[in-house]
Amino acid sequence: GTCTNFIITATDPAGPWSQPHVIEGAPGIDPDIFFDDDGKVWYVGTHPPHEKPNFAGEGEIWCQELDLDRWCLAGERHYLWRGACHGGVFAE
């Protein structure tokens, strides 16, 4: 199956919370958001490698800039890490 990843926001942790902002094109599980010192926001996710996996179930960690005005991924996707020990299927 596929995963649907989304972000909800609030000015106070007690709420109220926004409706979910679905992040299209953001597969995988256990995503993270990184707020860089230069003001950019990065979405960090996982997925199976698109090209030539070394073994069945291999995972890859990637990041891509997140546009918070439009709630979408922007720019080039950067591949950060791929695989684990042979047979390790969970990149995160």
Side-chain angles (χ1 to χ4, degrees):
T2 59
C3 296
T4 299
N5 287 303
F6 60 90
I7 298 171
I8 55 175
T9 64
T11 56
D12 181 328
W17 289 87
S18 71
Q19 291 296 311
H21 301 280
V22 173
I23 309 301
E24 299 293 338
I29 62 168
D30 297 336
D32 197 6
I33 302 169
F34 173 69
F35 295 86
D36 209 339
D37 291 338
D38 63 4
K40 290 185 178 181
V41 179
W42 297 90
Y43 183 97
V44 181
T46 63
H47 61 61
H50 294 293
E51 296 182 16
K52 301 180 186 176
N54 294 307
F55 52 88
E58 182 179 30
E60 186 168 63
I61 298 174
W62 57 275
C63 74
Q64 191 168 352
E65 190 172 353
L66 180 63
D67 181 332
L68 294 181
D69 292 326
R70 299 181 309 143
W71 295 104
C72 67
L73 298 172
E76 181 181 351
R77 184 167 292 186
H78 304 276
Y79 300 100
L80 306 176
W81 187 81
R82 181 175 177 179
C85 298
H86 183 73
V89 295
F90 300 111
E92 63 282 337

